[in-house]
Amino acid sequence: MGVTEFQKWVNDYYENRGWSELDIFIRIGFLAEETGEVARAIRALEIGRDRPDEVTDSFMNNRKDLVEELGDVLGNVIVIANKYNISLEEVFNSHKEKLSKRYSHE
C-alpha cells in the first residue's frame, strides 16, 4: 500500500469510528501517549524489561510490538495532517528539503 492510499485509508477508518471528530488537543494527547508506547517498545528491544510484573518476551514479539506502536503514532500523525489538509507526501518532501538545506554545507 502506498503512502497516499494509506493516508486515505486511515482517514476513512478513523472517520467511520468517530475518532476524527475528537478535539485536536485530545489527538495531540493520544500522539504523546503513543510516542511513550514506542519508547517502551524500544526499551524492551534494547535493554529488556526489569520490573518483576513484566514478562520478558522474544525479540520477534518485541519487534512486532514496536511495529504496532509505530503504526499507532503514524495513525495519529495522519489524523492531524488530514485535519489541516496536509498530505504525507508534502510532509516527506518538506522534511527532506529542510534537512538538505540545513546540512548542505557538510
Side-chain angles (χ1 to χ4, degrees):
M1 178 180 300
V3 78
T4 302
E5 184 181 357
F6 183 68
Q7 185 170 2
K8 179 168 179 3
W9 180 86
V10 167
N11 183 68
D12 294 346
Y13 189 84
Y14 278 51
E15 278 187 3
N16 287 336
R17 303 276 315 184
W19 295 345
S20 294
E21 303 306 316
L22 296 173
D23 181 85
I24 193 65
F25 294 106
I26 292 172
R27 179 62 52 201
I28 292 295
F30 288 158
L31 177 60
E33 178 183 348
E34 296 301 343
T35 302
E37 291 178 12
V38 166
R40 183 176 184 187
I42 289 172
R43 181 173 186 254
L45 274 168
E46 292 297 323
I47 62 174
R49 307 301 300 160
D50 60 358
R51 288 178 32 185
D53 62 337
E54 294 178 323
V55 177
T56 300
D57 212 338
S58 70
F59 175 84
M60 289 309 294
N61 284 342
N62 286 336
R63 184 184 179 283
K64 181 178 179 265
D65 289 344
L66 177 57
V67 169
E68 289 176 5
E69 298 305 340
L70 288 169
D72 291 342
V73 167
L74 187 55
N76 280 284
V77 167
I78 288 172
V79 170
I80 293 166
N82 287 344
K83 177 176 177 51
Y84 299 104
N85 197 29
I86 300 169
S87 74
L88 288 184
E89 288 185 10
E90 182 181 352
V91 172
F92 295 168
N93 290 330
S94 174
H95 188 66
K96 181 180 176 183
E97 182 179 333
K98 176 181 82 173
L99 292 180
S100 295
K101 285 180 182 177
R102 183 177 293 168
Y103 298 104
S104 65
H105 61 280
E106 293 184 336

